[in-house]
Amino acid sequence: PSEVAAPHNDHGGCFSKVMRVEEKFAIKLPEGLPSEVAAPFICGGGTMFEPVVDYVQNGTRVAIASIGGLGTAGIKFSKSFGGHVTALSRGEEKRSKAIAAG
């Protein structure tokens, strides 16, 4: 039988080194993908994905503020749900990145 390690703090959650989740909520990471690369996207990506799932339908107008990693994910998620996306940024330098994202 496999041994389950206890969280390294009193409350567990996102600051734990290990945790137990239902299989339907687990994501198998590709072999060779470093956890330090995957972890921020899983956390931030989930934060961005939740409102898209709840509110974006075909034709919904969506504004994404800040075109960085999460903003780019928001554009892609919103477009995949049929949203009409407007990207907001302080300058022109991220225009091509926003257009490339969708």
Side-chain angles (χ1 to χ4, degrees):
S2 64
E3 186 176 312
V4 177
H8 79 272
N9 56 42
D10 293 335
H11 53 79
C14 65
F15 296 107
S16 295
K17 291 182 180 178
V18 297
M19 63 184 225
R20 183 184 297 177
V21 297
E22 290 182 48
E23 184 178 8
K24 66 183 177 181
F25 297 115
I27 300 169
K28 182 161 176 60
L29 298 176
E31 196 69 38
L33 180 65
S35 59
E36 65 271 14
V37 172
F41 185 74
I42 291 171
C43 179
T47 301
M48 185 62 78
F49 187 73
E50 183 77 22
V52 171
V53 168
D54 289 345
Y55 299 107
V56 178
Q57 305 172 26
N58 192 28
T60 301
R61 294 190 176 273
V62 179
I64 303 292
S66 185
I67 312 307
L70 292 179
T72 300
I75 292 170
K76 291 181 178 190
F77 290 154
S78 297
K79 291 294 286 186
S80 72
F81 279 80
H84 176 83
V85 180
T86 300
L88 308 172
S89 186
R90 292 181 293 174
E92 291 289 318
E93 59 275 357
K94 295 197 177 175
R95 178 188 292 269
S96 60
K97 184 175 181 177
I99 290 170

